[in-house]
Amino acid sequence: MAENLQAPVTPEEAVDRLAAGLKGEVFMPGDPEYTAECSGFNEIARHRPSLVVAARGTEDVSAAVRFAAEQDLPVGVQATGHGIAAPVRGGVLISTRRMNAVAVDPVARIARVEAGARWHQVIAAAAYHGLAPLNGSSHLVGVVGYTLGGGLGPLGRRYGYAADHVTRIEVVTADGTPRTVTAADDSGLFWALRGGKGNFGVVTALEFSLMPVSRLYGGGIYFPGELSPSLLRTWRRWTETVPETMTSSVALLRLPDVPAVPELLRGRLTAHLRISFIGPEEEGERLVQPLRDVGPCVLDTVGDMPYSAVADIHQDPAEPLPYHERNIVLRALEDDAVDRLMDLAGPGSSCTDLMVELRQLGGALARPPAVPNAVGNRDGAFTLATLSQPGSPDRVLGPMGRWGTGRTYLNFLAGPDTVGAARGCFDPAVYARLLRVKARHDPGNLFRIGHALADPGAGG
Ligand SMILES: Cc1cc2nc3c(=O)[nH]c(=O)nc-3n(C[C@H](O)[C@H](O)[C@H](O)COP(=O)(O)OP(=O)(O)OC[C@H]3O[C@@H](n4cnc5c(N)ncnc54)[C@H](O)[C@@H]3O)c2cc1C
């Protein structure tokens, strides 16, 4: 009988075999490229995997997932590092930044993007055809991570969450198989991926609808911090009166006194009102006037603008920095809630958070999408999020919980202390269904890095 026994493969040999079969590369600790490949936007945590696979296509992702399953290692994914929760330690990190093709079909009004694409690519490609994607505040955020977590952006109240408009998902599941899932898929995967984030596989490409928006009446108005109580009171009443074509938010900014911060915002409290209105300029001006009447501002950039400049509305930071992000969802915002928020974070308070932000929900964000998905918080009226320096405990959201729905929004969570927070983003029945889909598609809990659902074997 022929000798059919093979010598056992050592982990080093397994890595060599993996690397030999890839279009992309494998970097190990000590390799010169390793640190840069693991780096991302939020520096509060840094991935330190046993190896990072710099993927160049679906076959690479598939090979990396199979390798991790064989070696019994957890799998994490990084596109940009804007949404890091826990770092990958001792597992496999799949870096998708090289998989960044974007294509727009202007007739079908559909975009197809690969796993590592950023919003600015889609915004530019869609704007060429007078269309807009449902991106968020920063054009540097990754399309896939944002969309899988819901996706709450400047067109949100008119069109809903980005996840509500996904039409097709290409994903590599825990068995290493590339699958295409759509609304016709009956495995629950299409439902779960849209809202349940990275718990079910590595998405290699997404297709989603684009909206017929080419211009906005939008921008930001920066008020001196002392006006924040009157701004917030006026804004909260105003939000009850505006149409769904108006999406707005207010952020209390306490940015450090360093050269990287624009001079007018440095080392002081500023209230930043953000406006995104789909409609004629004259109507936008009329709608915004009561907010301008709050008092003299420091800077007003609100006006007619092309959608391609949408990132100018929020002016989110572009350079990497370390921060915690936490949030709660509010069921309403009454005057007593504004007063309490001002005690906690207004002028004269001891708040040190870099940002305390309220975004209005409602409109299409409150309605179920045409094809049901796992995105929660349809009952919320506002998100209340904080960004704070590493090591800063939460002093705002706890006391504000009185006005909360008891839930949080998955995308506005970052940093190691948010690792266990995924359960709190969903109604119990939705969470239970997510666990059932997880148990079917990832019974070994390979995808347990980041905002992980509970171990499916642990029954929730
Ligand atoms: C400046 C800034 C502005 C933001 N603005 C908004 C906003 O307006 N609205 C909003 O909803 N959110 C917003 N976010 C949050 C953002 O949507 C999340 O942090 C999102 O997870 C970022 O995805 P990423 O791929 O860029 O980040 P990464 O850190 O690279 O990925 C984060 C997580 O996304 C998942 N993921 C990424 N790629 C894949 C993939 N291919 N397959 C499976 N899972 C994947 C994984 O769970 C991964 O751990 C903002 C964040 C920042 C820092």
Side-chain angles (χ1 to χ4, degrees), residues 79-83 136-137 142 146 152 197-198 201 203 316 323 359 409 411:
T80 73
H82 277 77
S137 56
Y146 166 94
L152 172 59
K197 222 163 180 177
V203 169
D316 281 344
Y323 58 87
R359 292 195 190 191
Y409 172 50
N411 269 355

Side-chain angles (χ1 to χ4, degrees), residues 40-42 47 61 76-86 88 93-94 96 99 114-119 134-154 161-162 170-172 193 196-205 314 316-318 321 323 325 355 357 359 387 409-414 447 449-452:
F41 180 81
N42 189 344
H47 292 304
V61 172
V77 194
Q78 178 161 271
T80 73
H82 277 77
I84 193 166
V88 178
L93 179 65
I94 300 179
T96 59
M99 296 170 60
E114 288 186 342
R118 294 182 188 241
W119 276 119
L134 296 179
N135 54 279
S137 56
S138 165
H139 59 326
L140 301 175
V141 162
V143 176
V144 171
Y146 166 94
T147 304
L148 299 184
L152 172 59
Y161 289 94
E170 295 168 31
V171 59
V172 173
L193 278 163
K197 222 163 180 177
N199 283 289
F200 306 93
V202 183
V203 169
T204 52
H314 282 248
D316 281 344
L321 70 159
Y323 58 87
E325 183 164 16
M355 182 176 88
E357 181 197 66
R359 292 195 190 191
L387 237 67
Y409 172 50
L410 189 48
N411 269 355
F412 291 170
L413 296 170
F447 304 110
I449 310 261
H451 294 118

Side-chain angles (χ1 to χ4, degrees), residues 328-341 344 381-382 384 396-406:
I328 57 173
V329 175
L330 303 181
R331 58 177 188 277
L333 186 65
E334 303 293 346
D335 279 343
D336 59 347
V338 169
D339 291 347
R340 185 71 180 115
L341 187 60
L344 295 162
F382 292 83
L384 174 62
V396 172
L397 301 178
M400 290 301 294
R402 259 180 72 190
W403 291 275
T405 61

Side-chain angles (χ1 to χ4, degrees), residues 154-155 213-221 238 242-249 273-293 297 299-314:
L155 302 181
V213 177
S214 59
R215 299 199 74 80
L216 287 177
Y217 180 74
I221 307 181
W238 176 88
V242 291
E244 292 181 11
T245 39
M246 175 67 82
T247 299
S248 69
S249 61
L273 166 71
R274 295 81 159 255
I275 297 292
S276 168
F277 174 63
I278 312 164
E281 185 176 2
E282 313 75 61
E283 196 183 339
E285 255 173 27
R286 188 184 56 74
L287 284 168
V288 172
Q289 194 55 48
L291 300 168
R292 288 198 163 108
D293 291 343
C297 67
L299 177 68
D300 184 342
T301 70
V302 180
D304 176 62
M305 60 182 280
Y307 191 80
S308 54
V310 62
D312 292 349
I313 295 176
H314 282 248

Side-chain angles (χ1 to χ4, degrees), residues 263-279:
E263 207 173 332
L264 70 101
L265 302 177
R266 253 182 235 166
R268 61 175 72 106
L269 173 64
T270 309
H272 182 197
L273 166 71
R274 295 81 159 255
I275 297 292
S276 168
F277 174 63
I278 312 164

